[in-house]
Amino acid sequence: MTVSRVVTTSGPEETEAFGEEMARTISPGDVILLEGDLAAGKTTLVRGVLRGLGGYPDDSSSPTFVVVQSYSCNEHGITVIHHVDLYRLPDEVDALREIGLEEYLLDEQAVVVIEWPRPALADFIGPGIPVRRVVINRMEDGKRRIEVLPVRTEVQ
Ligand code: ADP
Ligand code: MG
């Protein structure tokens, strides 16, 4: 995907279905940064991505309390999704190091999906790592606007 793409979803099922569709454009080693307020639908989208990659999303609840949850999958050479939720962590390099972020990012057959990306991430995501931002906004009518930005190889 080289241009940004915007969709509007009317419910969690549609957001999940969009995640499933997005999964087709994901490659091993990709990093996805998921931005959006609480209850925007970030975890819902991840559930769809996981399903699209042949994983089992039934237990993919929000990892907010455990910070990282890893799910096996089996599609396009991707064997695992590391689902990271930084909501409760301080924006500090040490905190990210402590959760083992470096190791997750070095996992060449993995996709790392990060909810609540923080500036401290820049220390971990070096040049050459394909990063895609996804921004979810809740609109006045309750629908979600999901914008998938083009893949970049550095964080600004
Ligand atoms: P986040 O991870 O961003 O905090 P979740 O995916 O955990 O958000 O939760 C989103 C909540 O919003 C769920 O309760 C879901 O049912 C609800 N919801 C309503 N409409 C949508 C939509 N279009 N897309 C995603 N979630 C929606
Ligand atoms: Mg969440």
Side-chain angles (χ1 to χ4, degrees):
M1 202 177 289
T2 52
V3 291
S4 74
R5 176 157 180 223
V6 180
V7 298
T8 302
T9 62
S10 303
E13 305 76 18
E14 279 185 32
T15 296
E16 203 169 319
F18 180 65
E20 210 172 331
E21 190 190 320
M22 234 184 85
R24 291 194 217 119
T25 69
I26 296 174
S27 308
D30 283 1
V31 177
I32 298 171
L33 306 181
L34 272 183
E35 299 173 21
D37 290 340
L38 264 185
K42 301 181 293 298
T43 299
T44 305
L45 187 79
V46 177
R47 205 174 292 135
V49 169
L50 177 59
R51 201 169 58 195
L53 292 175
Y56 299 97
D58 295 346
D59 55 347
S60 114
S61 52
S62 178
T64 292
F65 296 100
V66 293
V67 188
V68 186
Q69 278 182 304
S70 299
Y71 299 98
S72 299
C73 52
N74 177 26
E75 204 68 51
H76 332 302
I78 299 166
T79 59
V80 62
I81 292 186
H82 300 298
H83 182 194
V84 183
D85 190 328
L86 299 180
Y87 183 63
R88 278 161 204 281
L89 285 198
D91 180 21
E92 291 165 8
V93 170
D94 282 351
L96 298 180
R97 188 163 291 132
E98 227 161 79
I99 64 164
L101 191 67
E102 272 162 320
E103 282 73 24
Y104 294 120
L105 291 167
L106 284 171
D107 194 343
E108 286 176 0
Q109 292 178 313
V111 168
V112 181
V113 182
I114 304 176
E115 296 189 37
W116 298 100
R118 305 294 169 82
L121 275 174
D123 273 39
F124 295 83
I125 303 177
I129 298 186
V131 177
R132 173 179 297 160
R133 284 174 64 215
V134 178
V135 183
I136 309 182
N137 282 296
R138 195 193 148 114
M139 301 188 296
E140 277 175 15
D141 57 7
K143 291 182 181 173
R144 287 1 185 222
R145 178 184 185 276
I146 306 174
E147 181 171 16
V148 181
L149 288 116
V151 173
R152 297 174 48 101
T153 48
E154 58 196 82
V155 225
Q156 58 280 62

